[in-house]
Amino acid sequence: MATASSAPASPSGLPPSGPLTYRGYLRLAELLAAQVPVVRPPARDELAFIVTHQTYELWFKLLLADLELVRDEMFAGRPAAASRVFERIHVVGRVLLEQLAVLEFMTPADFAEFRDALAPASGLQSAQFRELEFLSGREAPDPPERACAGLGPEERDAVLRRLAEPSVWDGFRHLLGEPDAGGRGAGEAVGEDSLPATLARVAAGQEPGTGELRRLAAHLYAYDEEVVAWRTRHADLAARLIGDAPGTGGTSGVDYLRRTARRRFYPLLHDLFGACPAHRGRR
């Protein structure tokens, strides 16, 4: 049970002087002071732009925690528990997609009022989103330091730590392995050569006892589709707002976003589940 000494510290690092309050628990003073427009006089839509992106970072934080839990449950041989965590991940995925509607009220002229002042800042510098990609299963670049371009020291360390740990996909491959002699979860991860055939059998339900694995594979596929849908809608929004202008972070802009929108974490699952209407959206 929590005690008074376990209450969150004040912004100064000292224990709170009185009873815990809603404002104090949520750190509202710091939170609501963090939306600081960069142009003067303030542009009409800059506050919405800041709030939307800050909120994304909060959702990314939750997704990182939930994906870690999914991975750990899979390494522990508990596919049903991993599937339960995915239920919330899907809800967050839908929130991320619909949240773009807040920015879709902007016109190109509205965005132009403050866009130039943002350079060289860019959404590409979201370290948490890079962590999400690598935790999900995106292949690490060679050399790994390429994943840290444009990041500060703390963010760089966080991304490199993420690259050094197992991914959700690693956990799923481990779960597909044969149970060990004591029946305690999965054994060695399925090898690359046998992985497509193993996944095909799981997706088709051709072997007894694969129901939970099939359900978890469908969750992974659905999560992948949610990320692709978010990337695609974001690229569509950028195309409307900036046309063929380069990105503030130095990329080719919309062309870059269109190319990355096609990036999938689990292409093998897309080949299996995407081709079968019966599996689309299956939970």
Side-chain angles (χ1 to χ4, degrees), residues 7 27 38 81 85 95 104 126 137 198 240 272 281:
R27 305 296 180 90
V38 298
V85 180
V95 171
E104 289 169 347
S126 171
T198 300
R240 183 173 67 81
L272 290 171

Side-chain angles (χ1 to χ4, degrees), residues 3-262:
T3 64
S5 61
S6 65
S10 68
S12 65
L14 299 174
S17 57
L20 188 63
T21 65
Y22 176 84
R23 178 182 177 86
Y25 178 64
L26 296 180
R27 305 296 180 90
L28 291 184
E30 302 97 308
L31 180 65
L32 298 179
Q35 296 75 46
V36 184
V38 298
V39 298
R40 294 290 185 272
R44 183 182 68 178
D45 287 297
E46 190 178 1
L47 178 60
F49 189 84
I50 294 171
V51 168
T52 300
H53 285 81
Q54 287 182 339
T55 306
Y56 271 126
E57 292 295 330
L58 291 174
W59 289 124
F60 292 164
K61 184 173 183 176
L62 178 59
L63 282 176
L64 285 169
D66 280 352
L67 288 170
E68 286 178 355
L69 184 55
V70 163
R71 176 198 61 196
D72 295 346
E73 294 287 14
M74 289 194 289
F75 272 110
R78 296 190 288 263
S83 288
R84 284 194 295 274
V85 180
F86 258 123
E87 296 292 349
R88 182 165 69 187
I89 289 174
H90 296 316
V91 173
V92 175
R94 292 192 292 270
V95 171
L96 292 178
L97 182 63
E98 291 305 319
Q99 191 170 291
L100 283 171
V102 175
L103 299 182
E104 289 169 347
F105 282 96
M106 280 196 301
T107 66
D110 294 331
F111 193 31
E113 290 182 2
F114 63 93
R115 180 176 185 263
D116 289 345
L118 303 181
S122 167
L124 290 176
Q125 296 165 346
S126 171
Q128 285 201 121
F129 190 74
R130 296 189 201 188
E131 288 187 68
L132 275 172
E133 289 187 302
F134 295 124
L135 177 57
S136 296
R138 178 186 169 188
E139 187 175 351
D142 185 19
E145 286 72 17
R146 287 178 53 196
C148 305
L151 301 182
E154 291 185 8
E155 293 175 318
R156 177 183 179 277
D157 290 346
V159 172
L160 290 177
R161 283 196 301 271
R162 195 65 70 180
L163 283 170
E165 67 185 34
S167 70
V168 167
W169 185 241
D170 292 329
F172 185 61
R173 286 181 54 198
H174 181 81
L175 193 60
L176 291 174
E178 292 296 325
D180 62 25
R184 296 180 296 272
E188 294 297 322
V190 173
E192 290 292 338
D193 292 341
S194 59
L195 184 57
T198 300
L199 288 173
R201 290 194 297 271
V202 169
Q206 294 175 346
E207 297 181 359
T210 59
E212 287 294 346
L213 289 176
R214 187 170 66 251
R215 188 159 73 101
L216 183 54
H219 278 300
L220 286 163
Y221 167 74
Y223 165 65
D224 210 359
E225 290 297 291
E226 288 154 7
V227 175
V228 169
W230 180 83
R231 290 185 193 270
T232 301
R233 186 165 175 177
H234 178 245
D236 290 343
L237 173 63
R240 183 173 67 81
L241 292 177
I242 68 173
D244 58 1
T248 53
T251 70
S252 57
V254 174
D255 177 66
Y256 171 82
L257 294 175
R258 295 282 193 215
R259 284 187 283 109
T260 58
R262 297 191 293 268

Side-chain angles (χ1 to χ4, degrees), residues 271-280:
D271 294 342
L272 290 171
F273 288 84
C276 181
H279 288 298
R280 290 174 187 160

